[in-house]
Amino acid sequence: IRDDEGNEVATGERGEICLRGPAFIKGYRNRPEENAQTFRGGWLHTGDIGVYDEDGYMTLVDRKKEMILVGGYNVYPREVDEVLVSHPAVMEAAAIGVPDEFRGETVKACVALKPGASATAEELIALCAEKLVKYKVPTEIAFYDELPKTGPAKIDKLKLKGLR
């Protein structure tokens, strides 16, 4: 697990999962830009964010492409999602980055409530403010009957961002 400069991170710190070995491809055919991004320093950069625990086990925690950059700070959407779904009224949630003139991006939370349940945006923002550092707290909550899904039933964050 490595930081953005390619240095190995300490136990408990998040970083990109990088792999190497004799069975990996050497690169993508006729895709030099993608090769330069994916294959660096002899490592295949997966785009997955992971963390090692004290026993040496790795946990996959997020995708690098989904990371939100708020004023120079990394916000891993899954961290925000987990706080939101801890609310008894929330069925599912997805944090996405939205453009912000001052900070670059801010956190927007897309939420679907359980049938018959209710919660306000203010209530959910207050819950996040209680459990997360300030820059990770959503500045906006959008409510949906259900969140859009991809083929394998994963929340479609590109659709939530309006990119498809």
Side-chain angles (χ1 to χ4, degrees):
I1 299 180
R2 300 187 174 273
D3 64 19
D4 289 337
E5 288 76 45
N7 304 308
E8 210 169 316
V9 300
T11 298
E13 287 186 36
R14 293 172 182 225
E16 185 172 11
I17 298 171
C18 299
L19 309 168
R20 70 176 168 191
F24 289 106
I25 64 172
K26 300 225 184 278
Y28 300 112
R29 182 176 180 181
N30 298 324
R31 291 159 66 185
E33 300 85 22
E34 214 169 322
N35 284 333
Q37 183 66 26
T38 305
F39 301 94
R40 298 187 311 268
W43 293 91
L44 180 142
H45 291 251
T46 66
D48 294 314
I49 302 296
V51 61
Y52 278 118
D53 67 15
E54 306 77 39
D55 296 323
Y57 290 99
M58 180 191 299
T59 301
L60 178 69
V61 294
D62 226 319
R63 291 280 304 148
K64 191 169 184 175
K65 288 180 182 175
E66 293 176 358
M67 187 177 63
I68 304 164
L69 193 58
V70 179
Y73 294 101
N74 295 340
V75 177
Y76 297 100
R78 186 169 166 184
E79 208 175 340
V80 179
D81 299 348
E82 287 173 357
V83 170
L84 290 165
V85 297
S86 74
H87 188 284
V90 175
M91 177 172 57
E92 57 186 356
I96 59 173
V98 292
D100 180 83
E101 280 187 31
F102 182 70
R103 296 180 200 101
E105 286 185 300
T106 58
V107 179
K108 175 181 177 180
C110 303
V111 174
L113 299 176
K114 294 175 182 171
S118 66
T120 65
E122 294 77 18
E123 186 180 342
L124 296 177
I125 289 171
L127 173 67
C128 289
E130 186 181 301
K131 300 195 181 266
L132 299 167
V133 295
K134 186 175 176 109
Y135 65 88
K136 295 180 180 183
V137 175
T139 57
E140 179 184 351
I141 306 279
F143 290 96
Y144 294 80
D145 292 332
E146 66 178 66
L147 298 182
K149 305 287 190 306
T150 63
K154 289 182 67 174
I155 294 171
D156 190 342
K157 291 192 178 189
L158 290 177
K159 195 167 208 169
L160 290 173
K161 286 184 170 194
L163 299 174
R164 7 172 163 207

